Amino acid sequence: DIQMTQSPSSLSASVGDRVTITCQASQDISNYLNWYQQKPGKAPKLLIYDASNLETGVPSRFSGSGSGTDFTFTISSLQPEDIATYYCQQYDNLPSFTFGPGTKVDIK
Amino acid sequence: QLQLQESGPGLVKPSETLSLTCTVSGGSISSSSYYWGWIRQPPGKGLEWIGSIYYSGSTYYNPSLKSRVTISVDTSKNQFSLKLSSVTAADTAVYYCARHEGQWLDWGQGTLVTVSS
């Protein structure tokens, strides 16, 4: 089974800060990596698919990069509405899926 | 616009079977090459894939839950269902249904199922 790790588990940043979250897979998953945003009491929302592609309608301050085992998710300028938990998710062996443990983002 | 809605009991007794249904509206569950799946999230914890059914009827389960999970589809009602047997308190979670490919695209709002006597 492919395991996913994320770091940090939580972070606090100021409005306008650049925020970076990393996700690591236990084996090579090419670019089969997605990023989701989940706000309290809501279902997750897809932000980035296939490591670096921005989902339609998602603000351009969100971006993703990486391939193989190491991936990065970036918010270029943190906004108050970005307060949420962010999850990475791999699908190297579709339709088997694994999610990362999540990164909770707060405003400092 | 595709919408999904989970339904089922919010309280299940230990050792019994959890049963949930996802009703799909705004599109046909059998007319497109998507998967229809279930994900759960224990309170305050992360997301766990439970299993999925392809539009053709093929099923796929998380190996850690496979012995207890059954997912089925009723195309006449545009619904798919989850059954999880022999539940314990560890199965208490918000259960989400969703349409997906490699990406989980459209989600229900989620339903909290509590396992307690």
Side-chain angles (χ1 to χ4, degrees):
Chain A
D1 289 2
I2 299 174
Q3 306 301 316
M4 307 299 293
T5 57
Q6 276 183 246
S7 62
S9 56
S10 65
L11 65 90
S12 290
S14 300
V15 172
D17 281 356
R18 183 180 185 87
V19 169
T20 299
I21 299 168
T22 62
C23 176
Q24 187 169 57
S26 60
Q27 65 188 65
D28 190 335
I29 58 169
S30 185
N31 67 332
Y32 301 131
L33 191 284
N34 306 312
W35 291 95
Y36 299 82
Q37 176 192 65
Q38 186 180 32
K39 296 183 178 181
K42 300 294 187 181
K45 174 187 174 184
L46 178 67
L47 299 181
I48 303 288
Y49 65 94
D50 295 346
S52 60
N53 295 293
L54 193 67
E55 177 71 347
T56 302
V58 173
S60 60
R61 65 180 179 273
F62 296 101
S63 66
S65 65
S67 66
T69 60
D70 296 302
F71 301 87
T72 301
F73 172 81
T74 300
I75 307 173
S76 61
S77 177
L78 186 67
Q79 300 301 303
E81 60 267 32
D82 300 336
I83 299 313
T85 299
Y86 293 84
Y87 294 93
C88 61
Q89 169 247 317
Q90 69 80 22
Y91 66 101
D92 180 64
N93 186 23
L94 188 71
S96 177
F97 303 90
T98 315
F99 290 84
T103 296
K104 187 175 182 180
V105 175
D106 281 329
I107 295 286
K108 191 182 296 182
Chain B
Q1 183 181 354
L2 195 75
Q3 292 187 317
L4 297 92
Q5 178 69 58
E6 305 89 352
S7 60
L11 181 64
V12 181
K13 290 182 168 55
S15 79
E16 295 189 344
T17 296
L18 178 159
S19 296
L20 295 174
T21 296
C22 182
T23 300
V24 178
S25 57
S28 172
I29 202 169
S30 59
S31 67
S32 54
S33 56
Y34 288 101
Y35 297 87
W36 305 89
W38 292 92
I39 281 177
R40 69 180 183 178
Q41 185 171 37
K45 295 188 178 181
L47 302 163
E48 180 181 33
W49 172 64
I50 300 171
S52 302
I53 188 164
Y54 197 44
Y55 80 108
S56 61
S58 299
T59 52
Y60 308 87
Y61 301 130
N62 186 324
S64 68
L65 298 169
K66 186 175 183 177
S67 63
R68 299 195 291 130
V69 174
T70 303
I71 295 176
S72 59
V73 64
D74 185 338
T75 55
S76 67
K77 295 181 178 179
N78 224 30
Q79 296 175 333
F80 62 105
S81 298
L82 168 70
K83 292 187 185 299
L84 180 65
S85 64
S86 305
V87 297
T88 69
D91 296 309
T92 293
V94 174
Y95 286 76
Y96 294 100
C97 63
R99 180 181 70 153
H100 72 90
E101 297 174 306
Q103 300 78 31
W104 291 73
L105 300 166
D106 301 289
W107 299 66
Q109 65 186 21
T111 187
L112 175 63
V113 179
T114 301
V115 178
S116 175
S117 56

